[in-house]
Amino acid sequence: MNRNITQEEEAQRAPIETKWMNSAAVNARPFLHYLQYLTYGRLGERDHQLHALGVLGS
């Protein structure tokens, strides 16, 4: 994932931190379950959506 940063934000960081400021790290497994939840919701598959939500919550 990428995010935008301002010059002010960049000025507040150490030079080594600037390299990683454009990126955001997320744990893949919960993110994938969240994407499943959204996808099943759009497809109208409520049972699968609720299952993905349950897995995400655990």
Side-chain angles (χ1 to χ4, degrees):
M1 292 176 19
N2 291 320
R3 70 178 193 95
N4 294 328
I5 60 170
T6 65
Q7 289 179 349
E8 291 176 9
E9 288 178 315
E10 190 172 341
Q12 294 175 1
R13 308 281 184 186
I16 192 73
E17 293 175 328
T18 304
K19 178 180 176 183
W20 302 105
M21 287 183 66
N22 289 333
S23 301
V26 296
N27 191 341
R29 187 168 297 205
F31 185 65
L32 290 175
H33 289 296
Y34 173 69
L35 291 178
Q36 282 184 333
Y37 172 80
L38 293 178
T39 302
Y40 288 135
R42 287 289 193 154
L43 293 174
E45 296 184 17
R46 187 67 175 156
D47 291 337
H48 287 102
Q49 185 185 29
L50 291 174
H51 175 73
L53 180 63
V55 173
L56 179 61
S58 65

